Amino acid sequence: MENVMRPLIVLGGSVLLTLVIGWATDLLLRKADERHPETPAWGLLRRARIPYQIALCVALLRATYDEAQIGGPYRVLIGRGITLVLIGATAWLLIRIAAAIVEATYDRYARVHHDAARVRRVRTQVELIMRVVTAIVGVVAVSAMLLTFPAMRAAGTSLLASAGVLGIVAGVAAQSTLSNVFAGLQIAFGDMVRIGDTVVVEGEWGTVEEITLTFLTVRTWDERSFTMPVSYFTSKPFENWSRGGSRMTGVVYWHLDHRAPVEAMRDKLRDILRHCPAWDGRAHGVQVTDTTPTTMEVRALVTAKDADDIWTVRVTVREEMLRWLAAEHPYALPRIVTATPETPISLPLPTAERAGQPAPAARDGVPRPRLEK
């Protein structure tokens, strides 16, 4: 009977003590969060209460395991299982605590600095740092779990001796993966592209949605997602419309008749922009940029505070200007003449041919062609 009651008492006491300590810790964090609402760290730390309670309970079980006096062939197996769970729960808790600290630091930085480009750069760096920390903690935890087995400890010497060869083989086998990892770090700390930047990649316009150590996701304007390796952005050119500030200048082109009223178009553009909320009021203008035998190219310059607004301004100006030209100046729209002339064009005959004489020969001996009357 004692062999059954002692393990149950140890297990029940550990669980009960864990619940009491966990409740008290959560209560303290809740009060600290209410007392300091400007700091989100306490609220973020509350998200770690599950791994905290698991790690606390397993730690208490590991500390009182000898007091349970579990006998039989399962003693070593149960003890090793508790150790493995303790390592995993501790790693989980460390990742949650690191995420809470990093998120709280970023939130404070974002509230102090109002430069959107700088905030997006810090956001990108923070997320990549968190992924690196998670990977390191995960690798250390798995290594610690493997070292709890005696066979793995015995193989440790041979593994260290062949680490150089294995490193070379792994580097050759995972060359593309390693290049993407280093490219991700270069993007994060080189400020090449940030989360929230507006980019044009492979002819597609979109916003950077996610950056990891190996891939980058771009959300296009039509809600599609482009996922590509981060090494693409370090080896190929791309357009970053948010680099150096979010303000942009856009152009609108029309192909019009040569009689188009350019001066009246300048006044109309000013009226259109006054009623367009997306225009930031910085600049506008209309110029004739090119001409052909049948049409001329008219370009309008408009400005906006970001890529989304410049798109709205461009389509608004294009639509309203065409509607105004069709209603007020229809002659300004290009036309294609398909009618044939009513009277044929007659060329004057040379004097010799009008008198009925043969055409004189050319200097090279080739007779000149005779024109039909």
Side-chain angles (χ1 to χ4, degrees):
M1 189 66 179
E2 184 179 358
N3 294 335
V4 177
M5 291 300 298
R6 187 181 291 272
L8 291 178
I9 292 173
V10 171
L11 178 61
S14 300
V15 172
L16 182 60
L17 188 59
T18 299
L19 294 176
V20 172
I21 297 176
W23 174 80
T25 305
D26 187 68
L27 181 62
L28 293 176
L29 290 176
R30 190 185 303 117
K31 290 184 177 180
D33 189 27
E34 295 174 355
R35 189 176 303 171
H36 303 282
E38 73 283 355
T39 304
W42 307 111
L44 294 172
L45 286 174
R46 291 188 60 199
R47 300 179 184 177
R49 58 181 178 271
I50 294 179
Y52 169 71
Q53 292 179 0
I54 294 176
L56 180 61
C57 181
V58 178
L60 292 174
L61 288 175
R62 180 71 265 185
T64 58
Y65 183 69
D66 294 336
E67 301 297 330
Q69 296 182 0
I70 299 177
Y74 300 104
R75 175 180 176 83
V76 177
L77 183 61
I78 295 175
R80 186 171 297 159
I82 294 175
T83 302
L84 294 177
V85 175
L86 178 60
I87 295 173
T90 303
W92 186 11
L93 178 62
L94 291 176
I95 292 174
R96 284 294 182 88
I97 293 175
I101 295 174
V102 171
E103 188 70 22
T105 305
Y106 166 75
D107 183 77
R108 180 180 301 176
Y109 182 88
R111 281 189 285 106
V112 172
H113 296 81
H114 301 286
D115 187 356
R118 182 179 298 180
V119 171
R120 289 200 305 269
R121 180 185 63 186
V122 174
R123 181 67 179 178
T124 303
Q125 296 174 353
V126 162
E127 290 200 2
L128 288 177
I129 289 174
M130 271 307 305
R131 294 180 186 276
V132 172
V133 170
T134 302
I136 293 175
V137 172
V139 170
V140 172
V142 172
S143 302
M145 289 179 180
L146 292 177
L147 290 177
T148 59
F149 297 92
M152 296 302 297
R153 282 187 229 152
T157 305
S158 60
L159 287 175
L160 290 176
S162 60
V165 179
L166 291 177
I168 295 175
V169 174
V172 174
Q175 183 178 2
S176 61
T177 302
L178 291 176
S179 64
N180 285 328
V181 170
F182 287 115
L185 294 175
Q186 183 178 353
I187 286 177
F189 296 98
D191 197 22
M192 300 173 58
V193 62
R194 299 152 299 196
I195 295 176
D197 280 2
T198 301
V199 297
V200 178
V201 182
E202 299 291 340
E204 296 289 341
W205 173 86
T207 304
V208 178
E209 191 176 55
E210 183 182 7
I211 299 177
T212 68
L213 287 176
T214 55
F215 67 89
L216 186 147
T217 302
V218 177
R219 175 73 65 177
T220 60
W221 63 272
D222 54 354
E223 300 299 328
R224 290 179 295 157
S225 292
F226 274 82
T227 301
M228 54 190 65
V230 293
S231 59
Y232 175 92
F233 292 87
T234 59
S235 60
K236 295 183 180 181
F238 65 96
E239 296 183 32
N240 189 344
W241 291 1
S242 302
R243 178 77 175 180
S246 60
R247 298 190 303 178
M248 299 193 64
T249 299
V251 295
V252 181
Y253 289 100
W254 299 280
H255 293 275
L256 305 176
D257 189 85
H258 293 94
R259 298 172 295 170
V262 179
E263 192 62 35
M265 291 178 65
R266 293 189 178 100
D267 297 335
K268 183 59 180 178
L269 176 64
R270 191 180 302 110
D271 295 337
I272 293 173
L273 293 177
R274 284 199 191 103
H275 297 86
C276 183
W279 181 54
D280 63 356
R282 285 190 295 124
H284 69 280
V286 174
Q287 298 87 21
V288 178
T289 55
D290 198 3
T291 182
T292 67
T294 57
T295 61
M296 65 177 180
E297 183 184 75
V298 181
R299 183 189 69 182
L301 292 179
V302 291
T303 58
K305 64 181 179 64
D306 55 28
D308 293 333
D309 284 352
I310 199 64
W311 172 264
T312 303
V313 175
R314 290 175 61 196
V315 296
T316 302
V317 168
R318 184 183 295 112
E319 179 181 351
E320 294 295 331
M321 188 67 74
L322 286 176
R323 183 183 294 114
W324 175 75
L325 288 173
E328 302 293 335
H329 304 278
Y331 61 88
L333 299 178
R335 299 172 182 269
I336 300 177
V337 180
T338 58
T340 57
E342 296 180 358
T343 58
I345 301 175
S346 59
L347 298 176
L349 296 176
T351 306
E353 294 196 18
R354 286 202 301 267
Q357 300 177 2
R363 293 181 180 179
D364 55 359
V366 180
R368 293 175 57 187
R370 184 181 301 274
L371 298 177
E372 298 290 340
K373 290 186 179 179

